[in-house]
Amino acid sequence: MRTRTLLTVLAVGVVLVCTGGYFVARFLGENLKLPVSGKSCTVTAGGTVTLDADQLSNAATIAAVGIRRKLPERAVVVALATAWQESKIRNLSGGDRDSIGLFQQRPSMGWGTPEQIADQRYATGKFYDKLVKIPGWQDMRVTDAAQAVQISAHPELYEQWAEKSEILTRALGGSAGQAVACTLPGDPKQQGSAAVAALAAALKLDWGQAGATRATAMDLKPRDAQAGWQYAHWLVAHAEEHGVRAVRYAGMEWTPGDGTWQKKKDATGTETVTAEVSP
């Protein structure tokens, strides 16, 4: 009897310790908002969204394809909300049945070959192609416009991403400056001339033009301040994969170590966007 009582007391004690640990962890995580180590990106434009570098890179490409096509911001919002619901803005290699990629498009439903759909730019372009053919899409709720393209079994789920997609669209569209920042510890994936060449190639794929390249840097000439921040934010979003160690624009500089934009006396003005890669 005494043994059974002791075991009961021990069991209750374990439960209390675990429960207490849970609530302490939840309090620390949610109320004290301790920083999370590792690679993370914050987008702030009338609200704040936190993504990882891979998600932000894909989001920047989705936005760039829409901007290059001269589509209204609403199209980018719908595309981002759709990608958020379908793939969490990740270029997935598979999914439900034969679904692939950012938008979980299916080769069997005429979206393209598996190789084509696996390309973020192709997939995004096909999404926009179908979206703009829908009568009245600009006046629809985000979820209704997305559903008209996707024909999902859960049509209301896209709406939950509308507000975050609007924040991303404002930032990646250049309506807000210094709005995209990433903290990227660790060694770069690419370095030197190879990194510059890859960065220029990716820029051309998304924007239709490449900047003027140097040994470890690339310069872009934006048409105006909004375009300047479009390029600057795109460069930050693609910094991890291309080894970008600094982006400078409008007297400000972003670096991956602390992940913030800071005033820099010798940074370029609004006439040039500069990206430096690791040598």
Side-chain angles (χ1 to χ4, degrees), residues 1-13:
M1 184 66 179
R2 185 173 299 173
T3 301
R4 182 180 300 174
T5 301
L6 179 60
L7 290 174
T8 301
V9 170
L10 288 173
V12 170

Side-chain angles (χ1 to χ4, degrees), residues 9-278:
V9 170
L10 288 173
V12 170
V14 170
V15 171
L16 289 174
V17 169
C18 293
T19 303
Y22 166 80
F23 283 108
V24 168
R26 183 168 181 176
F27 175 80
L28 290 175
E30 294 184 2
N31 293 288
L32 296 185
K33 299 185 182 301
L34 295 177
V36 178
S37 62
K39 302 173 182 179
S40 64
C41 300
T42 301
V43 179
T44 306
T48 301
V49 173
T50 301
L51 301 169
D52 64 29
D54 178 59
Q55 289 174 304
L56 184 59
S57 173
N58 289 324
T61 288
I62 290 171
V65 172
I67 294 167
R68 183 181 173 188
R69 290 182 172 215
K70 302 186 185 316
L71 295 176
E73 284 190 353
R74 187 69 170 176
V76 178
V77 172
V78 174
L80 287 170
T82 303
W84 226 319
Q85 174 57 33
E86 296 291 352
S87 68
K88 295 298 182 287
I89 325 183
R90 300 188 189 282
N91 195 25
L92 302 179
S93 59
D96 179 49
R97 287 172 284 190
D98 59 338
S99 298
I100 297 171
L102 290 170
F103 301 92
Q104 289 293 278
Q105 295 156 334
R106 298 177 59 194
S108 63
M109 300 302 290
W111 285 99
T113 66
E115 293 75 20
Q116 287 174 322
I117 299 172
D119 181 275
Q120 298 100 310
R121 296 158 185 101
Y122 173 91
T124 300
K126 294 297 286 185
F127 179 88
Y128 285 134
D129 286 344
K130 189 166 182 179
L131 176 66
V132 299
K133 292 178 182 178
I134 297 166
W137 68 269
Q138 292 191 58
D139 299 319
M140 295 179 179
R141 291 188 307 152
V142 168
T143 199
D144 294 333
Q147 172 63 6
V149 176
Q150 299 294 103
I151 317 298
S152 168
H154 306 283
E156 286 294 324
L157 294 182
Y158 302 106
E159 193 67 23
Q160 65 185 311
W161 307 109
E163 184 177 353
K164 289 184 176 182
S165 296
E166 289 168 358
I167 294 169
L168 278 181
T169 298
R170 284 192 293 270
L172 296 171
S175 295
Q178 309 162 48
V180 175
C182 296
T183 302
L184 305 172
D187 296 329
K189 292 182 178 180
Q190 298 188 67
Q191 295 177 278
S193 59
V196 173
L199 183 64
L203 183 82
K204 188 169 185 178
L205 287 171
D206 278 9
W207 293 101
Q209 63 178 2
T213 59
R214 293 178 274 141
T216 58
M218 181 174 67
D219 298 317
L220 293 155
K221 299 289 186 180
R223 65 181 181 278
D224 55 30
Q226 182 173 1
W229 284 114
Q230 288 172 0
Y231 291 142
H233 291 159
W234 184 94
L235 289 165
V236 173
H238 287 82
E240 184 194 21
E241 59 193 296
H242 297 302
V244 176
R245 67 174 185 175
V247 176
R248 300 189 187 96
Y249 181 61
M252 303 296 293
E253 180 184 61
W254 167 86
T255 53
D258 61 9
T260 61
W261 287 90
Q262 302 287 341
K263 289 184 178 180
K264 187 172 177 62
K265 292 181 179 179
D266 59 344
T268 56
T270 56
E271 70 278 1
T272 306
V273 181
T274 298
E276 288 190 359
V277 304
S278 297

